[in-house]
């Protein structure tokens, strides 16, 4: 099979992680848990927590500025901004418009938020590719920014140990010499909507003092059921995009998966036939930063030389919805 011709590529990456570190030892003082349990069951050692002034817009704008600088693109040249977040700063206006203003992008660019929970970044990448393929945009900024600490129930040991704050960003432009997105595969399953949810605070269950007291506006998750669905969804999506890219498993240079749980990453890699030495993992340092995990990982992998021109990169993610997907790309 001849390899597909890529249309869009990533030309710059950036990240922002807050300075404050919350360790497993800190969590031992907050809920009935232990460093050993968290490390063994999740692989997480610590996570970053943003202060009150550092919201999704602030983190996203910092990551965006770093990505723009590396791409050599000025904010006012952007045609579109896509922001993925499960923690918008406000319900209205949308966070993407706040970031548009914060980085000084021009009014000739259009900005929108895309909500697909942890899969948001991969969905956004495919939306950006579509805009470029249609000839409607040439310089697109994707920003994934998450302040998960504001929606986590800090009394619920089953969820509060998992998440952290941070932002990642990339610039997407038309591909030049055969680099870029080779194949994508995305799916969702609304029958599994109740597995990860925030019950109150939306149109169906507006906030009331009782719902706030009962913390119905915080993340609730059926962890073991999510675990099983995640492994199945990510490994199948990965195999599919690898095949569509015309690669054999041995041709995958690096897998950058969504960072939710080390055991999920290991199982997915095994099913997708990628040895662990070719899997990027930073989960131990940041926990699950929802849609920001992959762009943060890309920026770190580029910085440390694991991703270079010509690298065959596989990305896969899953999240609330449930949503999931995979993208194969030649860097
Ligand atoms: N410390 C100590 N014990 C704990 C903790 C904790 N922090 N949390 C749960 N336990 C206990 C449970 O109460 C249970 O005790 P019991 O046997 O006495 O009832 C026991 O540990 C086992 O609990 P499980 O939930 O079965 O543990 P599991 O091995 O499945 O690990 C985990 C839980 C880490 C949440 C895992 O299921 C997981 O990672 N699931 C996927 C979560 C995920 O990736 N979510 C992504 C969300 S993405 C998004 O879109 C926001």
């Amino acid at each position: 099979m001849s390899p597909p011709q890529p249309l869009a590529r990533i030309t710059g990456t950036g990240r922002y992680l807050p300075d404050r570190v919350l360790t497993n030892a800190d969590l031992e003082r907050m809920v009935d848990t232990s460093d050993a349990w968290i490390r063994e069951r999740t692989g997480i050692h610590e996570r970053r927590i943003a202060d009150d002034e550092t919201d999704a817009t602030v983190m996203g704008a910092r990551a965006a500025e770093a990505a723009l600088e590396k791409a050599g693109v000025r904010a006012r040249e952007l045609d579109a901004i896509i922001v993925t977040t499960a923690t918008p700063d406000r319900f209205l206006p949308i966070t993407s418009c706040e970031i548009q203003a914060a980085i000084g992008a021009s009014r000739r660019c259009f900005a929108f938020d895309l909500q697909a929970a942890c899969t948001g970044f991969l969905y956004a990448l495919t939306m950006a590719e579509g805009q470029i393929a249609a000839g409607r945009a040439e310089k697109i900024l994707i920003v994934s920014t998450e302040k998960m600490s504001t929606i986590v129930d800090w009394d619920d040991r089953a969820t509060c140990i998992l998440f952290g704050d941070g932002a990642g960003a990339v610039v997407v432009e038309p591909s030049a010499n055969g680099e870029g997105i080779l194949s994508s595969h995305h799916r969702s399953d609304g029958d599994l909507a109740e597995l990860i949810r925030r019950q109150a605070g939306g149109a169906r269950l507006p906030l009331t003092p009782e719902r706030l007291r009962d913390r119905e506006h915080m993340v609730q998750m059926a962890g073991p059921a999510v675990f099983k669905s995640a492994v199945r969804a990510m490994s199948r999506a990965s195999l599919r995009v690898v095949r569509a890219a015309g690669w054999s498993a041995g041709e995958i240079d690096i897998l950058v998966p969504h960072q939710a749980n080390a055991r999920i990453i290991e199982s997915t890699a095994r099913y997708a036939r990628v040895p662990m030495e070719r899997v990027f993992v930073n989960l131990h340092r940041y926990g699950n930063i929802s849609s920001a995990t992959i762009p943060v990982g890309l920026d770190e992998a580029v910085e440390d030389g694991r991703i270079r021109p010509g690298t065959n990169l596989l990305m896969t993610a899953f999240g609330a919805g449930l949503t999931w997907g995979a993208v194969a790309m030649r860097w």
Side-chain angles (χ1 to χ4, degrees):
M1 183 163 62
S2 61
Q5 283 309 304
L7 298 162
R9 64 179 179 142
I10 292 174
T11 57
T13 58
R15 68 181 187 275
Y16 173 79
L17 281 313
D19 291 335
R20 186 182 156 212
V21 174
L22 184 74
T23 65
N24 293 347
D26 296 327
L27 283 165
E28 283 177 351
R29 290 187 282 276
M30 296 162 64
V31 288
D32 179 16
T33 191
S34 68
D35 175 48
W37 192 95
I38 300 172
R39 281 179 191 240
E40 188 191 317
R41 305 309 293 165
T42 73
I44 300 167
H45 301 183
E46 58 188 41
R47 65 290 290 143
R48 302 298 178 92
I49 303 293
D51 60 26
D52 289 347
E53 287 72 44
T54 309
D55 55 27
T57 300
V58 169
M59 292 192 290
R62 297 236 188 126
E65 281 158 359
L68 287 165
E69 192 180 330
K70 284 189 206 147
V73 170
R74 283 171 299 199
R76 63 175 182 275
E77 295 177 285
L78 288 170
D79 299 311
I81 300 173
I82 310 175
V83 168
T84 73
T85 182
T87 58
D89 285 326
R90 297 183 273 180
F91 286 125
L92 292 171
I94 53 178
T95 305
S96 47
C97 285
E98 301 217 56
I99 291 179
Q100 176 185 18
I103 63 174
S106 86
R107 269 183 302 169
R108 56 170 282 281
C109 125
F110 72 101
F112 65 96
D113 287 13
L114 186 159
Q115 229 295 31
C118 301
T119 320
F121 174 74
L122 293 188
Y123 276 31
L125 210 47
T126 300
M127 295 304 115
E129 182 192 24
Q131 286 294 310
I132 287 171
R136 299 228 162 85
E138 290 207 332
K139 295 186 190 307
I140 302 178
L141 173 69
I142 301 174
V143 184
S144 300
T145 180
E146 307 279 9
K147 194 168 179 181
M148 299 302 287
S149 60
T150 59
I151 61 167
V152 159
D153 181 350
W154 289 102
D155 285 339
D156 176 10
R157 68 176 184 172
T159 53
C160 75
I161 56 155
L162 299 172
F163 296 101
D165 299 335
V170 302
V171 176
V172 184
E173 297 183 73
S175 62
N177 302 310
E179 325 92 333
I181 298 170
L182 297 171
S183 61
S184 309
H185 175 76
H186 301 297
R187 289 286 184 272
S188 59
D189 183 355
D191 286 338
L192 300 177
E194 302 307 320
L195 294 185
I196 311 172
R197 63 188 190 187
R198 289 176 68 201
Q199 284 285 71
R204 185 178 300 164
L205 297 176
L207 287 179
T208 61
E210 294 72 29
R211 291 183 183 133
L212 279 170
R213 182 200 60 210
D214 296 340
R215 305 189 188 213
E216 289 180 41
H217 58 304
M218 298 300 187
V219 173
Q220 301 166 340
M221 187 172 62
V226 172
F227 191 106
K228 283 189 209 118
S229 299
V231 172
R232 197 167 39 236
M234 290 202 295
S235 46
R236 284 187 188 162
S238 296
L239 290 171
R240 207 162 162 149
V241 296
V242 165
R243 199 167 46 239
W247 296 342
S248 64
E251 288 176 291
I252 301 164
D253 295 317
I254 186 166
L255 165 63
V256 179
H258 175 49
Q259 312 278 315
N261 182 311
R263 292 180 295 137
I264 293 178
I265 293 173
E266 284 156 16
S267 301
T268 303
R270 196 165 47 247
Y271 281 115
R273 296 187 214 104
V274 184
M276 276 311 287
E277 59 271 19
R278 284 197 239 138
V279 180
F280 183 87
V281 180
N282 60 8
L283 170 84
H284 50 295
R285 290 183 277 128
Y286 304 138
N288 181 349
I289 339 171
S290 193
S291 69
T293 63
I294 292 182
V296 166
L298 294 181
D299 191 46
E300 292 193 334
V302 168
E303 206 167 87
D304 68 18
R306 290 186 71 182
I307 296 180
R308 330 179 260 285
T311 294
N312 285 342
L313 162 70
L314 172 64
M315 298 170 272
T316 185
F318 75 97
L322 293 185
T323 56
W324 65 91
V327 173
M329 173 182 284
R330 187 174 314 112
W331 200 262

